Every structure is written in C-alpha cells, then in structure tokens.
Amino acid sequence: MMSLFFRLMVWPRRLLDALIDAAVHSDASDMAISSDNVGRLMPFHILVDADGVIRSAGPALLKMVGGEGLVDQSLFDAVRIVKPRRFDGHTILPDMLGKRLTVQFNALGDAVSSRAFGTAFHVQMDGVPHVFFALTPSVNARSFIETHGLKISDFGPTDGSADLVPLLAMQEDMLADSQKKSERLMAARDAAERLANHDPLTQLPNRRALMEGLQAALEQGPVAAIHLDLDKFKEINDTFGHAAGDAALKHAAGALKGAVGEDALCARLGGDEFVGVLAGAMSHEALNAIVDDLFTRLSEACMHDGVSLRIGASIGLAAATPADAIGADTILHHADLALLEAKRAGRGNVVFCTQELLQAQGQFQKLSGDILRGLSSAEFVAFLQPQVDVKSGQVIGAEALARWQHPERGLLGPSEFLDAAQRAGLLQQIDAVMRQSALDALMLGDANGTPLPKVSINVTTRDLIDPAFRDILLWDLEKRELTPSRVVIEIVESVLFDENSNQITQACRALVEDGFFLALDDFGTGHASILSLVNLPLSIVKIDRAFSAGVARDSRRQAMARSMVGMATTLGLDVIAEAVEGEADVLVFNEIDCTCFQSFHFGGPMPPEQFFAWLATQSRTIGHGGQRAS
C-alpha cells in the first residue's frame, strides 16, 4: 500500500523525465516537444493555446468523450476544474501552471469516477506557446476501462494508472470477499441474537425478549398477561425422563400459542413457566374464554414414545393500561402473584390479580419483614401447654407453642404470623427458636426441682429433609446434658403427601432410633390417617379438636373418636385428645380408654417460669380438672 501511494504521488516527475527525453529546449525556461510523441506519452493530455482553446487531446481522452468533439472548444466549456476550487472561467491560464488539478470532463457528466488528475506545464508546440495539461485517471482507471471501453493499451507507457488496473481488480476481489465475510458475520450475528432472545427447545422468545416486547406493548395500549406454570411437571421428568419433559414443554408452548393466537407474544420464562401477552382492550369474559381454551388444549394428550402425558397448569392473570404507568416488570410481578395464589388454592386453578390481592401482598410483605426483625430481636418465645393423664393425675409433658411478643401489638398467637412465616420461608427459623426455648425449659424445670418428663416440639418438612437437622438436634441436647427420650417430635399427616415423603419417613425412623418419640399431630384431619399409622414409627397420636371439642354433645363425634382411639390403642400407641371443653368431654374419652389430654380445660400455654410455678402446685387433683392456668 505504501509503494502504491508513492507511485501516485511521483508520476509528474516521471512525465517530466519523459518530456525532457523527447524535447528540444528553445530556451532556458520553456520546453519544446514534437507533437508526434505527445499522444504516445500522454494519452489523456489536453493542449491549450494562449487563447484558452483546446488544440489537441490525447487519443484515450478523445475515445472517452466521443471523437474530435473536444478539440477547438474553450477549455472551460469542455472541462471543469474541480480542485482547486478557485479556478474557473475567469482564471488566467498561467495561474494554473505547476498546480495539482482535479478535472471533470463536462461531456462525461458529474460522476466522480470520470475525473482525471494532473498538472499544467508551459510548453512550446511547433514553436508556438501552449499550456500542456498532463492528465491521468489514477485511481479511476478501473472505472475508465469499464465505463468508457478503454483497454490497457490506451494507457501511456509512463502512466502509472495502467499499473493500478490489476491492483484495482485485486481490490475488487478483496471487496467481494469482504462482502461475503460481512454477510456471514451478519448471519452469525442474527443467529446469536436469536439464540440470545429465544428458548432453543420451544423456539419461543425468552425472558429477555419478553420484557422488551411486553414493555413496548404497554406503551401502546391495554395489555393482559397470562402466567402459566405446569402442574406435576417434575413427576413427568422423574417418571418418564427428561425427553418426556421436553415433549411436555413443547406441548405447553404449542397450546399457549394456539390459545392466544399466532400474532401474540408468547415466551418461556424458564423451567415450566410460560407467559402469553394479549394486546388491546379485552373483557373478563373474553379473557376467560381464552384461558378455558388454553386449559382444553393443555389437557389434550401429549404422546411421547407411546406414552400419553397428561399435562395440567395453574394460571395467574394481570392486566394494565398505559394510564397505570407501570412497566413490564410490574405487570409480570402482578401475574406472578396471581399465579402463586392459584397454586396455593390447588392445581388447575386460575386467579386474576386484583387490588385486594395487591393489598394483601403488601400486608404480607410488611408482616414478613416484621417477622424477620422480630427474629433478630429475640421477640419469639416458646409457651408451654401442659399434657396431663387424668388416670394417674400427673403432668406427662408439655408442648412448646410459638408466641410473638410484638413491641407494638402485644402478645401474638401463631394464627397471627405462622402462615406468613411459612410463605416467607421463615418458619424453619421460628421452629429453631422454639426448639432452643423448649430445651432450655427442660433445663429450667430440672434446676427448679420441678422436672418436666417430656417436651413436644413441632418439626416441619424442611427440617426433616435437612441432612444436618438430626445432628443439630442431638448437639443441642448434648450441650444441655439432656437425653432424646425427653423430646417428642410432632409432625402432621401432610408430610406423607410431600414429594420427599420417602426421605421424610427415613428421617423419622432415624430420629426414633436415636431415642426420640414421634407424635402425629391433628390426627384425623388429613387424607392419610391410616397410612400414617402404618408407615411412620409413631408412639403417640393426638386427636384433633374437630373430633374432641364438644364430643359429649355429638353422638357422631363420639363414634368417630371411639374408632380413632380403638385403632391407635390396637397398634400400641398412646392417645392424647386435644381441646376438650369440659368434664363431660373428658368422661366420654375416659369411657373409650383415652385418659391423656392437652386442653385449656387443664391449662393453657404459659411462659416457662409461669408454667413451672403452676406445675409445682399440681398433685393428683388433675383428674378433677386440676388447677387451671389462664
């Protein structure tokens, strides 16, 4: 590239050398040259007389502009001096001498590719003074050849432009290759952009593309968002393999696309979650019709390797208009809140996000934040509710129940915060606090000389599937010099319906092997009461208040209680009846061989200090209702 530039810059020197070789100097300042050599040496030259009339032109130049039409014309009628711009029809020819010129031939139009470049010299032609314009196409040589029908032979032997032609051809090939490479790069860029914005499995737009499209739709008019989450998708993966799961996802993508329309924006958020965006005003009836159609399409059999996969979903809906002044993140969050409510209500449900739902969510966020603050401030404490055996007249244990000593709202029971804690994922932390407090209570009773035989603690599913829970519990006992035999682990029947039920059952058996007792709380209210008695290594069942409260007044409850107590005692289990309301209820249970109770009739939940003070006053009077504590 450097040598090419050098060639272009020094060509006037080469011309001058050639002219000197052919010239006969008439004086020290002017050159004399015969006209025979001019056309051969400079095929693009123009010779102008002192009056500014073109007297001759190079053969290549005449070929370009169409014969002799250029000769005998005024210089400034035939050409336009493009550079320097100060030269025009009023310019005196001598002013151009020695200047680098860019010339446009009027007969060839204004195309840049038809310009020539050169310098003007003062010469004598046949003894007469003339101005000689030594011109060359230079970088336009290729265009001169293609446009004006020139050949390499039309270029003079001293014209460096001829040497440019093969270089320009090479440049053209390089440009063609560059164009092809550019096209391939653009295709690769488009493919990468599609990959970055689309889910490779379903070919639907991904979250990134969804957010862009949803934002654009919100700025243009009303929008409704359908947030879909497949039900039991993990079961399909676990049972039939991931290929079957992929088939189910493709089926769901097709169902969503078919329900909302091919022109609507549909996206896969990830996992088994999808979103459909409906643009334009739409009534609740129309939206419900689309959702019904979506459920119908989802319920159609999805075949994979000869297996029919049945797919259901939970759906959350949200709508917004530009006047709401919310972004894509907000409307998607609203649809997600509705979806969570639909899943909480059970599978196969659809919920529309309303102001009431948003207000409830705001209250939940405030309460969950307050719970977290309360945990860090040690505001959660364990109250103890006695468990008594009226036959022996003894307190046989106590259950540790969570209470929240709120700095503004006072003492709060579990109904005020447990649901929110579970939704916020904070229930495990509260249970850990209760566990520590319950074990500390055992130590307090031992130190006061009023030992409590056993304390019952509630354990969640998340605790049982936590591999570290067992070791943590044993360490908590060891550092307090307590034994597992003084701790009852209470669980509810719903753990058997958890997807980790086998792991939970194994964890329960391991705890029993360590010496802990296992109790089934709220017996009779779940869907697996009998199954629970068979599969779990239970020692105790606690009959729920639904069957024990007011049992003396209801013969049907008496029959149910009799069956439940009989079933448990046949299996060698101890039975505790919860929430009996008075002596009449106690007598009913005594008649069916149930003598253990946990109820306000015998004592409500109390702070540990108050509980042990109450315990110190108890004797065999418990069989008659005891000294009740408020």
Side-chain angles (χ1 to χ4, degrees), residues 67-183:
E68 297 292 336
L70 190 64
V71 179
D72 295 333
Q73 290 191 54
S74 170
L75 174 66
F76 291 105
D77 289 339
V79 302
R80 180 168 59 90
I81 307 300
V82 178
K83 293 181 181 179
R85 297 184 182 277
R86 66 180 180 274
F87 291 155
D88 54 26
H90 302 289
T91 301
I92 301 173
L93 285 176
D95 292 342
M96 298 184 185
L97 299 178
K99 304 297 190 299
R100 291 183 179 180
L101 306 174
T102 300
V103 175
Q104 180 77 53
F105 300 102
N106 294 336
L108 302 180
D110 294 328
V112 174
S113 60
S114 295
R115 293 177 179 177
F117 310 88
T119 306
F121 296 93
H122 188 193
V123 300
Q124 287 193 12
M125 180 65 68
D126 297 328
V128 178
H130 287 75
V131 174
F132 186 87
F133 288 83
L135 303 176
T136 175
S138 188
V139 294
N140 288 335
R142 183 82 177 168
S143 174
F144 277 33
I145 290 175
E146 294 177 350
T147 306
H148 306 296
L150 299 184
K151 301 177 182 178
I152 296 295
S153 59
D154 291 320
F155 291 79
T158 60
D159 191 349
S161 300
D163 298 336
L164 289 176
V165 173
L167 294 176
L168 291 171
M170 184 184 299
Q171 181 189 50
E172 186 176 83
D173 292 340
M174 293 174 64
L175 287 173
D177 290 342
S178 177
Q179 179 68 23
K180 292 178 181 178
K181 290 180 180 178
S182 177
E183 291 173 353

Side-chain angles (χ1 to χ4, degrees), residues 19 28 51 124 150 152 175 217 223 272 397 456 486 527 554 596:
L19 290 173
D51 295 325
Q124 287 193 12
L150 299 184
I152 296 295
L175 287 173
V223 169
D272 59 346
S456 298
R486 297 185 67 184
H527 302 283
D554 190 331
C596 296

Side-chain angles (χ1 to χ4, degrees), residues 334-626:
H334 291 175
D336 187 53
L337 291 178
L339 174 62
L340 291 176
E341 286 299 312
K343 294 173 70 173
R344 289 179 64 194
R347 295 185 176 97
N349 286 304
V350 55
V351 171
F352 193 92
C353 184
T354 62
Q355 285 300 319
E356 290 77 15
L357 179 59
L358 293 177
Q359 291 173 3
Q361 177 65 17
Q363 293 170 357
F364 162 71
Q365 293 291 347
K366 183 178 182 303
L367 180 56
S368 59
D370 214 14
I371 292 172
L372 194 59
R373 179 203 54 75
L375 283 167
S376 64
S377 301
E379 295 172 7
F380 288 89
V381 295
F383 276 36
L384 301 177
Q385 184 173 24
Q387 297 167 340
V388 302
D389 181 355
V390 296
K391 184 176 181 180
S392 65
Q394 299 296 317
V395 175
I396 59 174
E399 180 180 1
L401 300 171
R403 293 294 185 269
W404 183 5
Q405 191 63 58
H406 196 282
E408 298 175 358
R409 301 170 58 190
L411 187 65
L412 304 179
S415 62
E416 300 284 343
F417 59 85
L418 280 189
D419 285 345
Q422 186 170 13
R423 285 182 60 189
L426 299 174
L427 188 56
Q428 218 173 355
Q429 295 184 45
I430 293 177
D431 284 346
V433 172
M434 295 305 101
R435 183 169 63 247
Q436 301 289 333
S437 297
L439 298 182
D440 288 342
L442 285 179
M443 293 180 62
L444 177 62
D446 292 348
N448 290 344
T450 52
L452 180 65
K454 293 182 179 66
V455 67
S456 298
I457 58 175
N458 292 280
V459 174
T460 64
T461 299
R462 294 182 63 179
D463 284 329
L464 292 173
I465 63 176
D466 183 355
F469 172 73
R470 179 184 173 195
D471 290 336
I472 292 173
L473 183 56
L474 289 172
W475 169 244
D476 287 340
L477 287 169
E478 183 177 346
K479 66 185 180 181
R480 292 175 173 82
E481 298 182 353
L482 298 172
T483 62
S485 61
R486 297 185 67 184
V487 177
V488 178
I489 305 292
E490 288 198 11
I491 61 173
V492 293
E493 293 179 18
S494 59
V495 299
L496 293 181
F497 290 96
D498 191 273
E499 58 187 15
N500 300 296
S501 58
N502 291 335
Q503 184 180 352
I504 291 170
T505 300
Q506 293 175 4
C508 289
R509 289 173 179 166
L511 289 169
V512 170
E513 290 174 0
D514 290 331
F516 295 97
F517 290 94
L518 187 65
L520 183 65
D521 197 12
D522 300 335
F523 180 58
T525 59
H527 302 283
S529 298
I530 298 177
L531 187 63
S532 304
L533 300 181
V534 173
N535 289 343
L536 296 172
L538 298 170
S539 298
I540 303 165
V541 294
K542 300 176 71 175
I543 297 179
D544 187 73
R545 63 180 299 119
F547 302 97
S548 57
V551 66
R553 303 188 302 270
D554 190 331
S555 59
R556 298 180 65 183
R557 290 188 182 184
Q558 293 175 25
M560 290 293 297
R562 184 176 294 105
S563 298
M564 296 165 69
V565 172
M567 187 186 309
T569 54
T570 299
L571 295 174
L573 304 178
D574 294 332
V575 180
I576 297 177
E578 297 181 300
V580 290
E581 296 178 348
E583 285 299 317
D585 290 345
V586 172
L587 290 175
V588 169
F589 275 102
N590 283 341
E591 290 174 358
I592 56 178
D593 295 326
C594 175
T595 61
C596 296
F597 301 92
Q598 179 180 331
S599 167
F600 276 85
H601 178 64
F602 295 98
M606 296 170 272
E609 295 80 2
Q610 181 182 346
F611 173 84
F612 285 108
W614 169 86
L615 182 60
T617 65
Q618 300 304 299
S619 62
R620 296 186 63 85
T621 59
I622 287 178
H624 302 286

Side-chain angles (χ1 to χ4, degrees), residues 199 201-202 228-230 233 245 249 268-274:
D199 169 47
L201 176 65
T202 63
L228 173 108
D229 183 83
L230 299 185
F233 176 70
L249 292 172
R268 181 186 176 196
L269 290 185
D272 59 346
E273 292 187 49
F274 298 84

Side-chain angles (χ1 to χ4, degrees), residues 14-37:
R14 295 178 59 195
L15 170 63
L16 186 58
D17 291 341
L19 290 173
I20 291 173
D21 289 341
V24 177
H25 293 275
S26 60
D27 55 45
S29 61
D30 296 331
M31 295 185 297
I33 183 169
S34 67
S35 58
D36 295 337
N37 293 321

